[in-house]
Amino acid sequence: MGCHHPDDQTHHPPDFPPHRPRRAEGREAEQQALEASWRERALNSEVALKTAHREILRQREQIAELLGQIRELDTDWTEEDRIRMTGENLALKRAVRDQETEIRNLTDKLAAARENNRFAHRSIADLEARVVDVQP
């Protein structure tokens, strides 16, 4: 039963457990999957945050351009044109506010994902410490 080649590292005699218990490996795999999931969420939040910042910058530039056009109004502009430009300006300002709200939401999600990632790291470290303590 305990007969094996001395260089064979994969076979353990029946009276000795393998180096790492299977249950601990399963928990570690679960923790790694959880950590990878949170890391992916954090990366996705960062990408969305960068995209939202670019969109706000684009909209601010467009607002500045429209405000410049409004300031340069001369007698060629009709009252209808002025009303339309003012309405577009208001719509853009609303869009910027919405984007800023989205950035705040994404920033909160990113912070939560980072905190969950830190928690997962602590949980993994605790499990690893337990595994080391249990091993002879």
Side-chain angles (χ1 to χ4, degrees):
M1 284 204 119
C3 211
H4 68 281
H5 190 276
D7 294 332
D8 184 5
Q9 298 292 325
T10 61
H11 183 271
H12 296 280
D15 53 339
F16 293 106
H19 181 65
R20 177 174 256 173
R22 291 191 193 277
R23 192 174 4 171
E25 288 175 356
R27 282 191 297 236
E28 186 175 320
E30 287 177 22
Q31 286 296 324
Q32 288 174 350
L34 178 65
E35 182 180 332
S37 170
W38 281 111
R39 188 177 301 117
E40 182 68 24
R41 289 178 186 160
L43 291 173
N44 289 342
S45 295
E46 287 175 355
V47 168
L49 188 60
K50 288 177 184 177
T51 301
H53 277 294
R54 281 193 303 272
E55 178 63 20
I56 286 176
L57 180 61
R58 188 193 65 75
Q59 289 182 4
R60 284 183 176 164
E61 289 171 353
Q62 189 173 7
I63 287 171
E65 183 180 322
L66 289 172
L67 284 173
Q69 290 175 7
I70 289 173
R71 286 186 192 103
E72 293 174 0
L73 290 176
D74 57 24
T75 56
D76 293 341
W77 292 90
T78 66
E79 185 62 26
E80 183 180 308
D81 290 334
R82 291 182 182 125
I83 292 170
R84 180 182 53 78
M85 293 292 281
T86 303
E88 287 177 13
N89 187 35
L90 290 173
L92 286 169
K93 285 181 179 180
R94 262 185 248 114
V96 166
R97 276 194 307 271
D98 291 345
Q99 290 291 321
E100 288 171 341
T101 299
E102 181 67 16
I103 283 177
R104 280 191 300 278
N105 290 340
L106 290 170
T107 301
D108 292 345
K109 287 180 182 179
L110 179 58
R114 285 179 174 157
E115 179 60 29
N116 286 333
N117 198 18
R118 282 190 290 275
F119 177 76
H121 278 290
R122 285 190 301 268
S123 295
I124 290 170
D126 289 344
L127 288 172
E128 288 172 345
R130 287 182 194 167
V131 168
V132 169
D133 289 344
V134 170
Q135 293 176 352

